[in-house]
Amino acid sequence: AMALDAIRDLVLSCGDLAALLGDVGSDGTVKPGLLAQYSRLLSLPANSTFLETITAAAADKCDFQGRFRESLQLYNLAHRY
């Protein structure tokens, strides 16, 4: 749990969300980021679980902090429209 919190905080402090988490292309395909490549080390077996755990939690925190542009990008990556 501490590792996931630390990664969420890293995502929030990083300026380049696409590099860490990936990006959604115009056709809807997800291009994985650096953290997705190492999700198995965190005992997160599926990519959807990784997105749900890290990206959605970071989006919720951005939304709470009033960082709406970043929260929209994170919710988009987590497929929470």
Side-chain angles (χ1 to χ4, degrees):
M2 288 176 55
L4 295 177
D5 286 340
I7 291 172
R8 184 198 63 211
D9 291 339
L10 171 71
V11 167
L12 291 174
S13 66
C14 175
D16 191 6
L17 297 174
L20 286 178
L21 296 172
D23 200 7
V24 178
S26 60
D27 60 351
T29 58
V30 176
K31 302 170 191 170
L34 292 174
L35 292 176
Q37 294 176 3
Y38 300 105
S39 63
R40 288 181 157 209
L41 294 174
L42 300 170
S43 300
L44 299 171
N47 193 27
S48 62
T49 304
F50 173 76
L51 286 174
E52 179 69 26
T53 304
I54 301 294
T55 310
D60 291 340
K61 192 166 184 179
C62 275
D63 193 29
F64 180 75
Q65 294 174 343
R67 298 164 55 184
F68 300 116
R69 185 176 183 162
E70 291 173 340
S71 70
L72 285 173
Q73 183 180 6
L74 290 166
Y75 282 129
N76 191 30
L77 283 171
H79 300 290
R80 287 189 177 184
Y81 307 109

